[in-house]
Amino acid sequence: MLKTAAYAAASAQSPLAPHSIERREPGPNEVLIDILYCGVCHSDIHQARDEWGGSIFPMVPGHEIVGRIAQVGAQVGKFQVGDAVGVGCFVDSCRECPQCRDGLQQYCDQGMTGTYNSRERAGGAPTFGGYSTRITVDQDYVLRIPASIPLDRAAPLLCAGITTYSPLKHYGVKAGDRVAVVGLGGLGHMAVKLAAAMGANVTVLSTSESKRDAALALGAQDFAATRDPAVFKTLARSFDFIIDSVSGEHDYNAYLSLLKVDGTMVLLGIPETPAPVAAGLLISKRRRLAGSMIGGIAETQEMLDFCAEHGIASDIELIDIAGINEAYERMIKGDVRYRFVIDIASLERAA
């Protein structure tokens, strides 16, 4: 076993602090990755504070991992030492159910094995994430980072990037489609970039007028501040597709009214309180209300290659690991544009 420096939450009430974990030597089909950067996802906060229930402590969060291969197992053929690679939200799945066979591991019938706050399928040991200096992962759950994407800005693509790319691709968003993005945070800013790169006409819908210039700079063609109720009348039946990236409570029905006939609205956030949906809004225009969760390994690699082709990367604020607790508080306040990324070299210096 390999002693590994990390940052962990000892309990739901504890701030993250230095911790030591053990990583296994890579097996025949595994690679050992020296972690360089790890993105900070809002779900890290939910799980570290046990807001979703069932959290496993001590917990080392982090599922937006980028690094370089340090060691490969004897049967590894996909990667070699020195390759730039990434690990996203999961590190294993059953591999046998229809979804796994179709490359939809995120919807595994037995449940995907999360990169952290989960249990390994063999032995049941808890998984630990990317707020650490290295990780051992089966080669089939590792992504190749294209050379043209800066490694620190690539990290959030492994969650925020694929979470927004997958529904855009699944529902066939194409050039000329009118797409609305609800919310301009870590997810929303990636949705704007990706939809614009697909040739869509993008409008950002936000409660904050102050985000107008940022939305347009990211590639949106238009912006609407939704605190004004007149906006919903002005934009009624305007959009082919809506990506809703907001996790706070809001009125789905107001946004459904903005869809054209056969329009689709996809939910990415999970508000704490279930929201009522008016059947008449769906029935009257054959609208769809759907959900989507990250993406499978093949689709995530496709997304990374698409980003490389179109010069897309996440907009980030690079932080030292010592600033992670402050970063959590700033995220809760929405005070980040648009994703914190931890420089893991700072953890090595602190170890």
Side-chain angles (χ1 to χ4, degrees):
M1 300 297 282
L2 303 169
K3 187 176 180 180
T4 300
Y7 252 58
S11 71
Q13 294 75 39
S14 303
L16 275 75
H19 186 68
S20 180
I21 60 174
E22 290 188 332
R23 299 294 196 187
R24 63 182 176 275
E25 296 277 0
N29 292 298
E30 294 182 321
V31 298
L32 176 66
I33 302 168
D34 285 336
I35 301 174
L36 300 175
Y37 302 101
C38 185
V40 182
C41 179
H42 210 288
S43 62
D44 296 351
I45 301 175
H46 289 306
Q47 294 184 84
R49 298 182 177 180
D50 199 20
E51 293 173 350
W52 291 343
S55 290
I56 304 168
F57 296 101
M59 182 190 301
V60 177
H63 60 208
E64 298 177 348
I65 300 169
V66 168
R68 291 193 181 276
I69 301 286
Q71 189 177 339
V72 299
Q75 296 177 23
V76 171
K78 297 180 180 180
F79 303 100
Q80 60 186 10
V81 171
D83 285 349
V85 295
V87 178
C89 298
F90 57 92
V91 290
D92 204 355
S93 62
C94 82
R95 312 184 189 210
E96 297 176 351
C97 72
Q99 290 75 243
C100 284
R101 291 198 298 269
D102 287 345
L104 299 171
Q105 299 94 340
Q106 74 274 30
Y107 302 125
C108 175
D109 278 343
Q110 295 183 25
M112 65 183 186
T113 301
T115 302
Y116 73 91
N117 195 33
S118 188
R119 293 196 180 275
E120 295 179 356
R121 305 186 98 80
T127 58
F128 297 117
Y131 298 9
S132 59
T133 56
R134 54 190 170 192
I135 189 170
T136 303
V137 183
D138 186 292
Q139 64 174 336
D140 290 339
Y141 294 80
V142 175
L143 291 310
R144 187 177 300 278
I145 306 297
S148 62
I149 305 178
L151 295 184
D152 53 353
R153 298 180 65 199
L157 299 180
L158 300 168
C159 177
I162 186 56
T163 297
T164 48
Y165 179 88
S166 184
L168 289 167
K169 186 68 183 296
H170 179 75
Y171 289 99
V173 169
K174 61 187 183 302
D177 283 349
R178 292 202 65 188
V179 173
V181 175
V182 183
L184 194 65
L187 293 176
H189 96 286
M190 287 307 311
V192 172
K193 290 188 177 192
L194 291 165
M198 294 174 180
N201 183 298
V202 181
T203 297
V204 170
L205 305 176
S206 172
T207 58
S208 177
E209 173 65 34
S210 65
K211 293 187 176 182
R212 179 183 293 272
D213 290 346
L216 299 178
L218 288 167
Q221 283 76 39
D222 205 354
F223 177 94
T226 55
R227 287 193 187 277
D228 180 359
V231 164
F232 291 95
K233 292 183 179 180
T234 302
L235 295 177
R237 301 179 300 282
S238 291
F239 300 108
D240 300 289
F241 189 82
I242 297 174
I243 280 196
D244 185 344
S245 70
V246 176
S247 293
E249 293 182 19
H250 58 295
D251 183 6
Y252 293 159
N253 299 298
Y255 293 94
L256 284 169
S257 72
L258 305 183
L259 289 172
K260 299 177 181 178
V261 172
D262 286 330
T264 301
M265 176 169 157
V266 174
L267 307 179
L268 304 182
I270 307 176
E272 290 186 17
T273 303
V277 175
L281 282 168
L282 301 175
I283 292 168
S284 63
K285 294 291 185 288
R286 202 163 62 186
R287 296 168 171 132
R288 291 180 292 263
L289 178 62
S292 183
M293 183 177 73
I294 53 175
I297 295 297
E299 189 176 49
T300 305
Q301 188 64 62
E302 177 185 299
M303 176 274 304
L304 289 167
D305 295 340
F306 179 90
C307 288
E309 179 183 354
H310 293 275
I312 295 172
S314 182
D315 289 7
I316 69 165
E317 182 175 333
L318 193 65
I319 62 170
D320 283 0
I321 191 68
I324 187 60
N325 293 299
E326 178 186 357
Y328 275 18
E329 296 307 316
R330 286 181 57 193
M331 283 179 67
I332 292 169
K333 297 174 183 176
D335 180 24
V336 56
R337 288 194 175 179
Y338 289 94
R339 205 69 154 185
F340 287 116
V341 172
I342 303 166
D343 181 357
I344 298 299
S346 66
L347 198 161
E348 293 177 328
R349 292 192 294 269

